Every structure is written in C-alpha cells, then in structure tokens.
Short mmCIF file of all heavy atoms in Angstrom, two decimals:
data_model
loop_
_atom_site.label_atom_id
_atom_site.label_comp_id
_atom_site.label_asym_id
_atom_site.label_seq_id
_atom_site.Cartn_x
_atom_site.Cartn_y
_atom_site.Cartn_z
N PHE P 1280 -120.50 -3.98 -11.31
CA PHE P 1280 -121.15 -4.38 -12.55
C PHE P 1280 -122.66 -4.52 -12.39
O PHE P 1280 -123.31 -5.13 -13.24
CB PHE P 1280 -120.55 -5.67 -13.10
CG PHE P 1280 -119.10 -5.52 -13.49
CD1 PHE P 1280 -118.11 -6.23 -12.84
CD2 PHE P 1280 -118.74 -4.64 -14.49
CE1 PHE P 1280 -116.78 -6.08 -13.19
CE2 PHE P 1280 -117.41 -4.48 -14.85
CZ PHE P 1280 -116.43 -5.20 -14.20
N ASP P 1281 -123.23 -3.96 -11.32
CA ASP P 1281 -124.69 -3.98 -11.17
C ASP P 1281 -125.34 -3.21 -12.31
O ASP P 1281 -124.92 -2.11 -12.65
CB ASP P 1281 -125.09 -3.33 -9.84
CG ASP P 1281 -125.71 -4.32 -8.88
OD1 ASP P 1281 -125.76 -5.51 -9.20
OD2 ASP P 1281 -126.15 -3.88 -7.80
N GLY P 1282 -126.35 -3.79 -12.92
CA GLY P 1282 -127.05 -3.14 -14.00
C GLY P 1282 -126.45 -3.38 -15.38
O GLY P 1282 -127.01 -2.97 -16.38
N VAL P 1283 -125.31 -4.05 -15.44
CA VAL P 1283 -124.68 -4.37 -16.73
C VAL P 1283 -125.32 -5.65 -17.25
O VAL P 1283 -125.29 -6.69 -16.59
CB VAL P 1283 -123.15 -4.56 -16.57
CG1 VAL P 1283 -122.52 -5.01 -17.88
CG2 VAL P 1283 -122.51 -3.28 -16.07
N GLU P 1284 -125.94 -5.57 -18.42
CA GLU P 1284 -126.65 -6.73 -18.96
C GLU P 1284 -125.70 -7.82 -19.46
O GLU P 1284 -125.95 -9.00 -19.24
CB GLU P 1284 -127.58 -6.29 -20.09
CG GLU P 1284 -128.73 -5.43 -19.59
CD GLU P 1284 -129.68 -5.05 -20.70
OE1 GLU P 1284 -129.72 -5.75 -21.73
OE2 GLU P 1284 -130.38 -4.04 -20.53
N THR P 1285 -124.65 -7.44 -20.15
CA THR P 1285 -123.69 -8.42 -20.64
C THR P 1285 -122.28 -7.97 -20.30
O THR P 1285 -121.98 -6.78 -20.29
CB THR P 1285 -123.78 -8.62 -22.17
OG1 THR P 1285 -123.49 -7.38 -22.81
CG2 THR P 1285 -125.14 -9.12 -22.59
N PHE P 1286 -121.45 -8.93 -19.98
CA PHE P 1286 -120.03 -8.67 -19.72
C PHE P 1286 -119.27 -9.58 -20.65
O PHE P 1286 -119.04 -10.75 -20.37
CB PHE P 1286 -119.71 -8.98 -18.25
CG PHE P 1286 -118.31 -8.62 -17.85
CD1 PHE P 1286 -117.94 -7.29 -17.71
CD2 PHE P 1286 -117.36 -9.59 -17.62
CE1 PHE P 1286 -116.65 -6.94 -17.34
CE2 PHE P 1286 -116.07 -9.27 -17.25
CZ PHE P 1286 -115.72 -7.94 -17.11
N ASP P 1287 -118.92 -9.06 -21.84
CA ASP P 1287 -118.31 -9.86 -22.90
C ASP P 1287 -116.80 -9.93 -22.79
O ASP P 1287 -116.08 -9.80 -23.79
CB ASP P 1287 -118.72 -9.32 -24.27
CG ASP P 1287 -120.19 -9.50 -24.56
OD1 ASP P 1287 -120.77 -10.49 -24.06
OD2 ASP P 1287 -120.76 -8.67 -25.27
N PHE P 1288 -116.30 -10.10 -21.58
CA PHE P 1288 -114.87 -10.22 -21.34
C PHE P 1288 -114.60 -11.57 -20.70
O PHE P 1288 -115.43 -12.11 -19.98
CB PHE P 1288 -114.37 -9.11 -20.41
CG PHE P 1288 -114.35 -7.76 -21.05
CD1 PHE P 1288 -115.50 -6.99 -21.13
CD2 PHE P 1288 -113.18 -7.24 -21.57
CE1 PHE P 1288 -115.48 -5.74 -21.73
CE2 PHE P 1288 -113.15 -6.00 -22.17
CZ PHE P 1288 -114.31 -5.24 -22.24
N GLU P 1289 -113.41 -12.12 -20.97
CA GLU P 1289 -113.01 -13.37 -20.34
C GLU P 1289 -111.70 -13.13 -19.60
O GLU P 1289 -110.85 -12.37 -20.06
CB GLU P 1289 -112.84 -14.48 -21.38
CG GLU P 1289 -111.83 -14.19 -22.46
CD GLU P 1289 -111.79 -15.26 -23.53
OE1 GLU P 1289 -112.29 -16.35 -23.30
OE2 GLU P 1289 -111.26 -14.96 -24.61
N PRO P 1290 -111.53 -13.77 -18.44
CA PRO P 1290 -110.28 -13.58 -17.70
C PRO P 1290 -109.12 -14.25 -18.43
O PRO P 1290 -109.23 -15.38 -18.89
CB PRO P 1290 -110.56 -14.25 -16.35
CG PRO P 1290 -111.69 -15.18 -16.60
CD PRO P 1290 -112.47 -14.61 -17.75
N ILE P 1291 -108.02 -13.53 -18.56
CA ILE P 1291 -106.85 -14.09 -19.23
C ILE P 1291 -105.66 -14.24 -18.29
O ILE P 1291 -104.73 -14.99 -18.58
CB ILE P 1291 -106.44 -13.25 -20.47
CG1 ILE P 1291 -106.16 -11.81 -20.09
CG2 ILE P 1291 -107.48 -13.35 -21.55
CD1 ILE P 1291 -105.54 -10.99 -21.19
N GLU P 1292 -105.70 -13.53 -17.15
CA GLU P 1292 -104.61 -13.63 -16.18
C GLU P 1292 -105.13 -13.26 -14.80
O GLU P 1292 -105.88 -12.29 -14.66
CB GLU P 1292 -103.46 -12.70 -16.57
CG GLU P 1292 -102.28 -12.78 -15.65
CD GLU P 1292 -101.14 -11.87 -16.09
OE1 GLU P 1292 -101.40 -10.82 -16.69
OE2 GLU P 1292 -99.99 -12.23 -15.83
N VAL P 1293 -104.75 -14.03 -13.80
CA VAL P 1293 -105.11 -13.74 -12.42
C VAL P 1293 -103.86 -13.85 -11.57
O VAL P 1293 -103.17 -14.87 -11.61
CB VAL P 1293 -106.18 -14.72 -11.89
CG1 VAL P 1293 -106.51 -14.42 -10.44
CG2 VAL P 1293 -107.44 -14.67 -12.74
N LEU P 1294 -103.54 -12.79 -10.84
CA LEU P 1294 -102.39 -12.77 -9.96
C LEU P 1294 -102.87 -12.52 -8.54
O LEU P 1294 -103.64 -11.57 -8.30
CB LEU P 1294 -101.40 -11.68 -10.37
CG LEU P 1294 -100.83 -11.77 -11.77
CD1 LEU P 1294 -100.02 -10.52 -12.10
CD2 LEU P 1294 -99.97 -13.02 -11.91
N HIS P 1295 -102.43 -13.36 -7.60
CA HIS P 1295 -102.84 -13.23 -6.20
C HIS P 1295 -101.66 -12.78 -5.35
O HIS P 1295 -100.52 -13.16 -5.61
CB HIS P 1295 -103.32 -14.58 -5.66
CG HIS P 1295 -104.47 -15.16 -6.40
ND1 HIS P 1295 -105.76 -14.79 -6.14
CD2 HIS P 1295 -104.53 -16.08 -7.38
CE1 HIS P 1295 -106.57 -15.46 -6.94
NE2 HIS P 1295 -105.84 -16.26 -7.71
N SER P 1296 -101.96 -12.00 -4.35
CA SER P 1296 -100.99 -11.67 -3.32
C SER P 1296 -101.76 -11.61 -2.00
O SER P 1296 -102.99 -11.64 -2.01
CB SER P 1296 -100.30 -10.33 -3.62
OG SER P 1296 -101.17 -9.25 -3.38
N PRO P 1297 -101.09 -11.52 -0.87
CA PRO P 1297 -101.82 -11.48 0.40
C PRO P 1297 -102.77 -10.29 0.55
O PRO P 1297 -103.75 -10.37 1.28
CB PRO P 1297 -100.71 -11.41 1.45
CG PRO P 1297 -99.51 -11.99 0.78
CD PRO P 1297 -99.65 -11.62 -0.68
N LEU P 1298 -102.51 -9.20 -0.15
CA LEU P 1298 -103.31 -7.99 0.04
C LEU P 1298 -104.24 -7.64 -1.11
O LEU P 1298 -105.11 -6.80 -0.96
CB LEU P 1298 -102.39 -6.80 0.31
CG LEU P 1298 -101.51 -6.91 1.55
CD1 LEU P 1298 -100.58 -5.72 1.67
CD2 LEU P 1298 -102.36 -7.06 2.80
N THR P 1299 -104.05 -8.26 -2.26
CA THR P 1299 -104.88 -7.89 -3.42
C THR P 1299 -104.92 -9.02 -4.45
O THR P 1299 -104.11 -9.93 -4.42
CB THR P 1299 -104.37 -6.59 -4.07
OG1 THR P 1299 -105.29 -6.16 -5.05
CG2 THR P 1299 -103.01 -6.78 -4.71
N THR P 1300 -105.88 -8.92 -5.35
CA THR P 1300 -105.97 -9.83 -6.49
C THR P 1300 -106.06 -8.98 -7.75
O THR P 1300 -106.81 -8.01 -7.79
CB THR P 1300 -107.22 -10.73 -6.39
OG1 THR P 1300 -107.12 -11.51 -5.19
CG2 THR P 1300 -107.32 -11.66 -7.57
N HIS P 1301 -105.28 -9.32 -8.75
CA HIS P 1301 -105.26 -8.60 -10.02
C HIS P 1301 -105.84 -9.52 -11.08
O HIS P 1301 -105.34 -10.63 -11.27
CB HIS P 1301 -103.84 -8.20 -10.41
CG HIS P 1301 -103.09 -7.48 -9.33
ND1 HIS P 1301 -103.26 -6.14 -9.11
CD2 HIS P 1301 -102.22 -7.93 -8.41
CE1 HIS P 1301 -102.49 -5.78 -8.10
NE2 HIS P 1301 -101.85 -6.85 -7.66
N ILE P 1302 -106.88 -9.07 -11.77
CA ILE P 1302 -107.50 -9.87 -12.82
C ILE P 1302 -107.48 -9.07 -14.11
O ILE P 1302 -107.94 -7.93 -14.16
CB ILE P 1302 -108.96 -10.23 -12.48
CG1 ILE P 1302 -109.04 -10.89 -11.11
CG2 ILE P 1302 -109.55 -11.14 -13.55
CD1 ILE P 1302 -110.45 -11.12 -10.62
N CYS P 1303 -106.94 -9.67 -15.15
CA CYS P 1303 -106.90 -9.04 -16.47
C CYS P 1303 -107.91 -9.75 -17.36
O CYS P 1303 -107.89 -10.97 -17.49
CB CYS P 1303 -105.50 -9.14 -17.06
SG CYS P 1303 -105.33 -8.23 -18.61
N TYR P 1304 -108.82 -8.97 -17.94
CA TYR P 1304 -109.86 -9.49 -18.83
C TYR P 1304 -109.60 -9.01 -20.24
O TYR P 1304 -109.10 -7.91 -20.45
CB TYR P 1304 -111.24 -8.96 -18.42
CG TYR P 1304 -111.75 -9.46 -17.10
CD1 TYR P 1304 -111.56 -8.73 -15.94
CD2 TYR P 1304 -112.47 -10.64 -17.02
CE1 TYR P 1304 -112.06 -9.18 -14.73
CE2 TYR P 1304 -112.97 -11.09 -15.81
CZ TYR P 1304 -112.75 -10.35 -14.67
OH TYR P 1304 -113.25 -10.79 -13.48
N ARG P 1305 -109.96 -9.82 -21.21
CA ARG P 1305 -109.86 -9.45 -22.63
C ARG P 1305 -111.23 -9.62 -23.26
O ARG P 1305 -111.97 -10.55 -22.96
CB ARG P 1305 -108.86 -10.34 -23.35
CG ARG P 1305 -108.66 -9.93 -24.81
CD ARG P 1305 -107.56 -10.71 -25.50
NE ARG P 1305 -106.29 -10.35 -24.89
CZ ARG P 1305 -105.27 -11.20 -24.76
NH1 ARG P 1305 -105.37 -12.43 -25.18
NH2 ARG P 1305 -104.16 -10.81 -24.19
N LYS P 1306 -111.56 -8.71 -24.17
CA LYS P 1306 -112.84 -8.76 -24.90
C LYS P 1306 -112.93 -10.06 -25.66
O LYS P 1306 -112.00 -10.47 -26.34
CB LYS P 1306 -112.92 -7.57 -25.86
CG LYS P 1306 -114.19 -7.45 -26.62
CD LYS P 1306 -115.24 -6.78 -25.80
CE LYS P 1306 -116.46 -6.48 -26.69
NZ LYS P 1306 -117.60 -6.18 -25.91
N ARG P 1307 -114.07 -10.75 -25.54
CA ARG P 1307 -114.30 -11.99 -26.27
C ARG P 1307 -114.46 -11.70 -27.75
O ARG P 1307 -115.07 -10.70 -28.13
CB ARG P 1307 -115.55 -12.69 -25.77
CG ARG P 1307 -115.37 -13.33 -24.45
CD ARG P 1307 -116.55 -14.23 -24.13
NE ARG P 1307 -116.32 -14.81 -22.83
CZ ARG P 1307 -117.21 -14.82 -21.86
NH1 ARG P 1307 -118.39 -14.30 -22.04
NH2 ARG P 1307 -116.93 -15.37 -20.72
N ASP P 1308 -113.94 -12.58 -28.58
CA ASP P 1308 -114.14 -12.46 -30.02
C ASP P 1308 -115.58 -12.77 -30.36
O ASP P 1308 -116.14 -13.76 -29.88
CB ASP P 1308 -113.22 -13.41 -30.79
CG ASP P 1308 -111.75 -13.00 -30.68
OD1 ASP P 1308 -111.50 -11.79 -30.54
OD2 ASP P 1308 -110.88 -13.88 -30.72
N VAL P 1309 -116.18 -11.94 -31.20
CA VAL P 1309 -117.55 -12.18 -31.65
C VAL P 1309 -117.48 -12.96 -32.94
O VAL P 1309 -116.81 -12.57 -33.87
CB VAL P 1309 -118.30 -10.84 -31.85
CG1 VAL P 1309 -119.69 -11.11 -32.37
CG2 VAL P 1309 -118.33 -10.05 -30.55
N GLY P 1310 -118.16 -14.09 -32.97
CA GLY P 1310 -118.15 -14.82 -34.23
C GLY P 1310 -118.19 -16.28 -34.10
O GLY P 1310 -118.08 -17.06 -33.34
#
C-alpha cells in the first residue's frame, strides 16, 4: 500500500493460523 493516500476499508474478519493470517476488509460507508 505504499503510495496509497487513503485506505477506506475496515477489517471485518481476521483468521490466524501458524503459517498465515487472513484479513477480510470491507469498504467503509461514506456518510
């Protein structure tokens, strides 16, 4: 995400395992 001015997503789910991490982001509502 280098050079990205805004990241309008919020994490909604995080799953951990010994070998990887899975993060699901959803677009934030504007308003």
